Amino acid sequence: MRTMQGWFRNTTGGLPVTFWYLWAGTLINRLGSFVLVFLAIYLTQERGFSPSQAGLVLGLWGVGGAVGTTVGGTLCDRWGRRPTLLTAHLGAAAMMLALGFARELWAVALGALLLGMFAEAARPAFGAMVIDVVPEKDRLRAFSLNYWAINLGFASAAILAGLAAEAGYLLLFVVDATTTVITALIIFAKVGETRRAPVGVGVGVGVGVGVGVGVGGQKRAGAPVGALRTILRDRVYLGFVTLNLFSALVFLQHISMLPIAMGDSGLSPATYGSVIALNGVLIVVGQLFVPRLIRGRSRSHVLALASVVMGVGFGLTAFADVAWFYGLTVLIWTVGEMLNSPSNATLIAELSPAELRGRYQGVFSLSWQAAAAVAPVLGGLVREQAGNAQLWLGCAVIGGLMALAHLISGPARERRAVTLRTATGPVVPVVAIKPPVPEAAEVAATAPAEPVKPTRGDHLPVGR
């Protein structure tokens, strides 16, 4: 018992209060995340659309998400994390209800596009806020805990949604919208603004920072100059984003093509809900042990292993035809997902200069949204033209190639992360936005390091 208490304290202790409010909002939101899981089934079985039309709607959701992450990343750096999160959640709730009442294909497609835009605009702001409030040494734990909350909610939602779909699909949209509004209320009542900006002109990370004069002659931080140009010049970061794009193309087949494949095997939506819930159940049971398992190990090796395991899991789907076999494949690729997620999150955090975290989170999230737009369309085309087995075996091949790419590119990423860590200067709260008053322990944990004198030749990286 004492050992378990110590493990629990080491896993959850010492994190800022703001993080736990964000964590609670995530859990509540995910408990109602019914719609995306069952959207393919809803469109084909309830609305009578063809698989290609369903793929188009899901693809438009991804297109909207790509726009949302880009705009959301910019807004959370310029406008603030908190107002961006609130606007995104309230907009997503409204679009969720609109999509539930839409009937014609054009209305459904437009609703999916706008829903994806609002829903994914929250992602970069949330990621930036977690990085803002959690010290670097605790971020692996924080991201793992948040990932655990996502999947606890997902596992429960998948089972409940399968049952609720029998009563009526509109209920799925209503519950999802309600939990999104509750999350917005938690943020409004309990989470303050966390955005911070550098002092002075330039911070030595390859990005200029404009400075203006406020009331009384005080200097105020302006918007970073040349952020997009810096990102586009960074080959190391863009290489990592590209690898994540291919990983997401494989992973997102569980939302688009897996429910259709299980339907072709004669399995019901409730069975799909139970099978896909295994993903969340395994993560809930095992994810809190992953940080200790991978701590101190090469992230490149961990990401490579995750790609192989994920590829094997999806590849075996080619041979599945009964519920237990589909469940086995889900458990296998879930292990790869569990290894991939915290390693990805901490690496992106280390590759993100403080004054542009929102944009970096947004660009990385863009790879997920691009995959969300392409994966259902590409998966549907491969399935129709080449066959179901070829689709899943192709996923296995991509997993193997991804593993090799991570082993080759990993050392350069780590060197860049070290360079950025040593070159980061001090930060102060933005004058225009009152930050939350931190606890004494949090102040000590997040105190800025001594400034490092910038060099003209510095070129640092930017970077689910």
Side-chain angles (χ1 to χ4, degrees), residues 84-308:
T84 302
L85 276 176
L86 289 172
T87 303
H89 283 311
L90 293 176
M95 289 303 103
M96 191 75 67
L97 293 176
L99 182 60
F101 286 104
R103 290 295 177 263
E104 300 296 329
L105 177 60
W106 70 266
V108 172
L110 179 61
L113 177 71
L114 294 175
L115 175 59
M117 185 178 70
F118 279 106
E120 295 305 318
R123 188 186 296 270
F126 180 90
M129 188 171 276
V130 171
I131 297 173
D132 288 343
V133 302
V134 178
E136 181 182 338
K137 64 183 178 63
D138 294 324
R139 285 175 188 159
L140 179 61
R141 289 193 299 129
F143 281 115
S144 293
L145 284 166
N146 188 66
Y147 188 57
W148 185 84
I150 289 172
N151 285 277
L152 176 60
F154 175 79
S156 303
I159 296 174
L160 294 174
L163 300 174
E166 304 294 334
Y169 280 95
L170 181 59
L171 181 61
L172 304 183
F173 293 90
V174 172
V175 173
D176 206 335
T178 301
T179 56
T180 303
V181 170
I182 293 173
T183 301
L185 291 175
I186 291 174
I187 294 169
F188 178 78
K190 296 295 184 180
V191 178
E193 180 57 60
T194 64
R195 181 170 64 107
R196 295 166 180 258
V199 176
V201 183
V203 292
V205 293
V207 180
V209 179
V211 176
V213 179
V215 178
Q218 292 180 334
K219 290 184 178 181
R220 60 178 178 83
V225 178
L228 180 60
R229 186 164 57 250
T230 301
I231 294 172
L232 294 178
R233 285 201 302 250
D234 193 335
R235 296 180 180 179
V236 173
Y237 169 67
L238 292 181
F240 184 57
V241 171
T242 302
L243 289 179
N244 190 72
L245 170 64
F246 281 100
S247 178
L249 284 173
V250 173
F251 178 73
L252 291 176
Q253 298 302 324
H254 82 279
I255 294 177
S256 55
M257 293 300 109
L258 181 59
I260 296 176
M262 291 184 66
D264 289 348
S265 298
L267 301 173
S268 69
T271 302
Y272 168 72
S274 299
V275 167
I276 202 65
L278 293 173
N279 168 260
V281 170
L282 180 56
I283 291 173
V284 168
V285 172
Q287 186 64 43
L288 295 182
F289 297 95
V290 171
R292 178 170 295 184
L293 178 66
I294 66 177
R295 185 179 294 122
R297 301 182 184 276
S298 166
R299 277 184 293 206
S300 303
H301 293 171
V302 172
L303 290 171
L305 177 61
S307 298
V308 170

Side-chain angles (χ1 to χ4, degrees), residues 292-453:
R292 178 170 295 184
L293 178 66
I294 66 177
R295 185 179 294 122
R297 301 182 184 276
S298 166
R299 277 184 293 206
S300 303
H301 293 171
V302 172
L303 290 171
L305 177 61
S307 298
V308 170
V309 175
M310 193 178 298
V312 170
F314 279 101
L316 287 175
T317 310
F319 309 102
D321 57 356
V322 293
W324 71 264
F325 202 155
Y326 280 111
L328 177 62
T329 66
V330 169
L331 291 175
I332 293 172
W333 57 254
T334 297
V335 173
E337 181 190 356
M338 292 167 65
L339 294 173
N340 180 80
S341 181
S343 300
N344 252 359
T346 55
L347 185 56
I348 289 299
E350 291 185 26
L351 295 176
S352 302
E355 73 281 359
L356 289 174
R357 280 174 182 158
R359 286 176 174 83
Y360 298 160
Q361 292 284 328
V363 171
F364 183 74
S365 295
L366 188 61
S367 65
W368 280 100
Q369 302 317 312
V374 174
V377 177
L378 183 60
L381 288 175
V382 173
R383 196 171 184 276
E384 290 180 4
Q385 300 299 321
N388 183 66
Q390 284 68 27
L391 168 65
W392 303 112
L393 292 176
C395 290
V397 172
I398 293 175
L401 294 175
M402 287 278 300
L404 181 61
H406 275 301
L407 292 176
I408 294 173
S409 61
R413 291 196 301 261
E414 297 297 337
R415 288 194 297 269
R416 192 66 63 84
V418 170
T419 304
L420 180 59
R421 190 183 307 127
T422 58
T424 301
V427 296
V428 297
V430 176
V431 174
I433 300 176
K434 183 179 179 180
V437 179
E439 302 286 344
E442 184 180 347
V443 172
T446 58
E450 290 295 320
V452 178
K453 183 177 180 180

